[in-house]
Amino acid sequence: MSDDSLRRWADAGRLRLDRDDAGRMVVDGVELARVAREIGPDEAALPTPRESARNHFPGIVISVKKDGVMAQVEIQAGPHRVVSLMSREAADELGLDVGVAAIASVKATTVVVDLPAARA
């Protein structure tokens, strides 16, 4: 999230900002996730996909980095951070920018499952 987005949401009463011991403005992560869920599209309202990718993650664009040809787009989808590499042209055509509601669709031929290190 950009500082500007957080300030706008706080000014609109959508997000609560607090001060830390050093006097800096801070946002509670749970509070930010709540706002991200509110802004993101409801998955039940999404059109049925007409593609083979079945894993859809509605969320908010939190970062867009572009160079001459490529763009790296990060989406916060609930507790998940999804990163996509795409052409700059595609990112521009979609109007992807920080704060935009977007849906990441994922199709993988391999899914790796691991266990936490601290297991009994």
Side-chain angles (χ1 to χ4, degrees), residues 3 35 56 59 61 69 90 103 112 119:
D3 294 345
V35 172
H56 300 274
V61 176
V69 177
I103 303 164
V112 177
R119 62 177 213 207

Side-chain angles (χ1 to χ4, degrees), residues 33-50:
R34 178 191 60 77
V35 172
R37 276 190 228 99
E38 288 175 2
I39 293 170
D42 181 13
E43 197 162 359
L46 299 175
T48 303
R50 299 195 61 182

Side-chain angles (χ1 to χ4, degrees), residues 6-115:
L6 294 175
R7 277 192 282 276
R8 280 193 306 272
W9 294 342
D11 290 345
R14 181 177 236 169
L15 181 70
R16 190 183 79 245
L17 298 177
D18 296 311
R19 290 201 182 270
D20 67 7
D21 294 337
R24 296 173 296 215
M25 298 302 293
V26 294
V27 177
D28 178 66
V30 173
E31 177 81 359
L32 184 57
R34 178 191 60 77
V35 172
R37 276 190 228 99
E38 288 175 2
I39 293 170
D42 181 13
E43 197 162 359
L46 299 175
T48 303
R50 299 195 61 182
E51 58 188 37
S52 59
R54 294 291 183 240
N55 301 302
H56 300 274
F57 298 92
I60 303 296
V61 176
I62 59 171
S63 174
V64 178
K65 297 175 186 168
K66 298 178 186 176
D67 67 14
V69 177
M70 297 299 294
Q72 177 181 311
V73 178
E74 294 182 54
I75 297 173
Q76 189 68 41
H80 307 289
R81 180 178 148 262
V82 181
V83 180
S84 176
L85 298 175
M86 65 182 70
S87 70
R88 180 188 181 114
E89 180 181 12
D92 289 343
E93 285 178 3
L94 289 170
L96 296 177
D97 201 1
V98 172
V100 170
I103 303 164
S105 298
V106 179
K107 181 176 182 174
T109 56
T110 303
V111 176
V112 177
V113 177
D114 198 359
L115 297 176

